[in-house]
Amino acid sequence: MIVRIMGEGQVKLDDVHFTELNKLDDELLREVENGDEAGFRRTLSTLLDAVRRLGTPLPDDALEPSELILPADDATLEEVRELLGDDGLIPG
């Protein structure tokens, strides 16, 4: 799956990593729903770091369609709240 982090680039992630990422996404969803700013900040950073660590960066000139778009590290709780679906940021 091709994942874009807003303001950064794209990475290719193997499906095997989505179990780990979905756990972080579920935690992030709970923190957003509870208005837990400190927890939200920590978990968003951890989620994005995991995507960077587990993914393979695509070249800057690659024009692959992103199947998943994640907010930037500096996104606010309100901005992420607007991006959330029923399953969080990551479907499944």
Side-chain angles (χ1 to χ4, degrees):
M1 175 181 281
I2 305 298
V3 179
R4 173 176 297 282
I5 298 174
M6 295 168 114
E8 294 183 27
Q10 293 177 301
V11 297
K12 182 172 181 140
L13 273 173
D14 290 327
D15 290 344
V16 69
H17 299 300
F18 280 90
T19 299
E20 176 182 346
L21 297 177
N22 272 318
K23 288 179 186 176
L24 290 168
D25 187 44
D26 290 344
E27 187 175 332
L28 186 70
L29 179 60
R30 281 190 302 276
E31 292 161 348
V32 168
E33 288 173 344
N34 293 328
D36 179 358
E37 181 73 35
F40 158 76
R41 201 48 54 220
R42 179 184 59 250
T43 304
L44 178 60
S45 181
T46 301
L47 174 65
L48 297 178
D49 287 346
V51 168
R52 293 178 192 111
R53 175 177 44 85
L54 299 170
T56 303
L58 295 179
D60 289 338
D61 61 351
L63 296 174
E64 299 291 327
S66 299
E67 298 164 89
L68 178 63
I69 299 174
L70 297 176
D73 233 348
D74 62 352
T76 67
L77 192 141
E78 284 303 317
E79 289 169 337
V80 172
R81 183 175 279 135
E82 291 176 16
L83 295 173
L84 290 172
D86 292 338
D87 289 338
L89 294 171
I90 302 171

